[in-house]
Amino acid sequence: MTRLAPLAWALLLALFLPSIASALPWWVEDDAEAERLAALLEALWPGHPVEVLLGEADFGREGISSDGATLTLVHDDRVRFSPTDGDLATQVALVRSWLRSTAVQESSWLPASERDDRPGPFAIVLVGGGARLPTAATTANGGFTLGPASPSGNVSVGGGFAWKHLRLGGRVSTSFGERAGVGSQAINLQRVFFGATASLVGQLGRVELQNTLGVGARLAVLRAEGGDAKPVTRTLPGLFVGVQLWGPLGDKVDFGGGLGASFDTASLAVRVGEEQETPLLLSPVTIYGELGVRFGCPCSGAARP
């Protein structure tokens, strides 16, 4: 009787103390089993939310019980079963895994990642291609003719500082392979852009939607395909807009890409060779697509474990 008195008082207090009443009860049949289970919980699961109680399980309430063949958990309107050989240590480990799984799914017991809220630096590398809109040329009778759109490749690098919904930084990009010409006249054109960028970011699950605006200067270097003419360089203010999707590739590494358009403030009028009487009018608009990787934080996929 003396040995049972402390346990009896504990059971009585469990009926009245709010902190105990709010715990998850684990129902057992006798004092010996209650003592073994309590010791195992303290050893294997420090800080556990379980209270060991004597009595019959009530499946209309939350709680844990075992009849020697089946372990049962009733929690958050869910019921889980598992065969058991009666080993209490195994049962403790199984219940702990069940509750941890529930916490991850409902984001209730485990703290949510704060990684997406912390600002930090980022770097970006992009490759892609596009097409400058058709070239225009004047004809002898004063009209205009349109040449084909000119494809080109593109490489960009950039970086800056990122917040959860905002990225500020800079970018440098260069095109290659662009060609323009009418008839036998042709030039090779390389465009180099450098400027500041600002991006607004939205989260779509583990995917990030990014809208970017870039403003800066564009250098256009024109080289005639034939002859000894020196390259001609023109500098124009320019801008670009783009929409991209990014997804997690690894720790602090994202993969993504998107579409965009770049705009010069004016078209380029270029005369190539002595025989050309009318200039080529190079379009100021280029449409492009690109893919790349992004390093740093905050990366997309804030729910990443």
Side-chain angles (χ1 to χ4, degrees), residues 174-277:
T174 181
S175 65
F176 55 89
E178 187 174 349
R179 188 174 181 272
V182 176
S184 61
Q185 304 294 336
I187 60 171
N188 293 315
L189 177 64
Q190 181 180 16
R191 300 173 190 251
V192 179
F193 174 86
F194 53 92
T197 61
S199 301
L200 295 178
V201 178
Q203 203 71 35
L204 304 174
R206 289 173 59 85
V207 177
E208 178 184 285
L209 175 64
Q210 179 174 300
N211 300 284
T212 300
L213 170 66
V215 179
R218 194 181 311 277
L219 301 180
V221 182
L222 302 101
R223 297 180 176 87
E225 286 194 345
D228 299 327
K230 294 182 179 180
V232 177
T233 301
R234 297 285 187 267
T235 303
L236 293 171
L239 61 90
F240 73 88
V241 292
V243 177
Q244 298 171 334
L245 291 175
W246 294 92
L249 187 63
D251 187 29
K252 292 190 176 182
V253 180
D254 288 339
F255 174 79
L259 301 173
S262 64
F263 306 88
D264 296 333
T265 55
S267 57
L268 285 174
V270 181
R271 190 184 303 274
V272 181
E274 297 179 355
E275 299 179 358
Q276 183 180 345
E277 298 180 356

Side-chain angles (χ1 to χ4, degrees), residues 141-189:
N141 59 8
F144 284 90
T145 61
L146 291 179
S150 177
S152 63
N154 187 76
V155 177
S156 300
V157 295
F161 212 74
W163 291 263
K164 183 177 181 180
H165 297 296
L166 177 67
R167 292 176 180 268
L168 299 177
R171 183 180 298 188
V172 177
S173 62
T174 181
S175 65
F176 55 89
E178 187 174 349
R179 188 174 181 272
V182 176
S184 61
Q185 304 294 336
I187 60 171
N188 293 315
L189 177 64

Side-chain angles (χ1 to χ4, degrees), residues 6-64:
L7 184 57
W9 278 107
L11 293 176
L12 183 61
L13 288 174
L15 298 176
F16 298 101
L17 292 180
S19 61
I20 296 179
S22 62
L24 187 65
W26 190 322
W27 303 98
V28 295
E29 295 181 352
D30 54 52
D31 296 336
E33 185 178 6
E35 292 179 356
R36 291 199 308 272
L37 179 57
L40 285 171
L41 285 169
E42 293 299 325
L44 302 177
W45 192 356
H48 61 82
V50 174
E51 179 69 19
V52 180
L53 299 176
L54 290 178
E56 293 289 335
D58 181 359
F59 293 105
R61 299 170 49 196
E62 292 194 346
I64 310 162

Side-chain angles (χ1 to χ4, degrees), residues 104-130:
V104 171
Q105 293 172 6
E106 299 180 355
S107 301
S108 56
W109 294 350
L110 295 183
S113 171
E114 297 180 356
R115 182 180 175 207
D116 60 323
D117 293 328
R118 297 195 303 269
F122 73 94
I124 190 171
V125 179
L126 296 161
V127 296

